[in-house]
Amino acid sequence: MRQLFTAILLVCMSFYTTAQVRTQLQVVCGETESLLKGLQGKFQERPVWTSVADDRRSMFMLLFNEQEQNWTFVKFNEDIACILAAGDDGLWLRPGR
């Protein structure tokens, strides 16, 4: 009986850990060039990190204003850019230091 209970528990846990949750994230999108120039102009944020997205058709970029400590995380392609998150007063984590 104990083995059956353990087996059922393990099966349930595997479903729990692999379950995907979908949410509706509200984002602000605009023409890529205008949006990026706006962030660099109005908020004086500069790109500090970028990476190609899994779809290989778009990119991610983190823009940061070191003086004001504000940041914006953007996903974009040649035509459209969307702000996924933004904030201020972040904490830089430096692996290996």
Side-chain angles (χ1 to χ4, degrees):
M1 184 69 163
R2 185 176 178 165
Q3 289 176 339
L4 177 61
F5 176 75
T6 303
I8 292 170
L9 182 62
L10 288 173
V11 169
C12 290
M13 287 177 58
S14 69
F15 285 122
Y16 177 75
T17 58
T18 59
Q20 292 185 356
V21 176
R22 296 199 182 263
T23 63
Q24 291 185 353
L25 177 66
Q26 291 187 355
V27 296
V28 175
C29 300
E31 191 270 323
T32 298
E33 187 175 347
S34 297
L35 192 137
L36 294 177
K37 281 184 179 179
L39 292 171
Q40 293 179 30
K42 182 176 181 180
F43 297 103
Q44 302 193 347
E45 295 179 347
R46 301 290 175 249
V48 294
W49 178 85
T50 188
S51 180
V52 176
D54 287 345
D55 63 15
R56 298 286 185 217
R57 292 177 286 160
S58 56
M59 297 189 66
F60 290 103
M61 180 181 289
L62 177 64
L63 296 101
F64 182 67
N65 177 324
E66 190 171 355
Q67 190 172 35
E68 299 294 325
Q69 298 291 299
N70 52 292
W71 56 270
T72 306
F73 192 61
V74 179
K75 184 175 183 182
F76 66 98
N77 62 25
E78 289 182 19
D79 303 317
I80 192 165
C82 296
I83 297 174
L84 303 179
D88 55 34
D89 197 25
L91 174 65
W92 283 105
L93 303 175
R94 297 184 181 180
R97 289 189 182 180

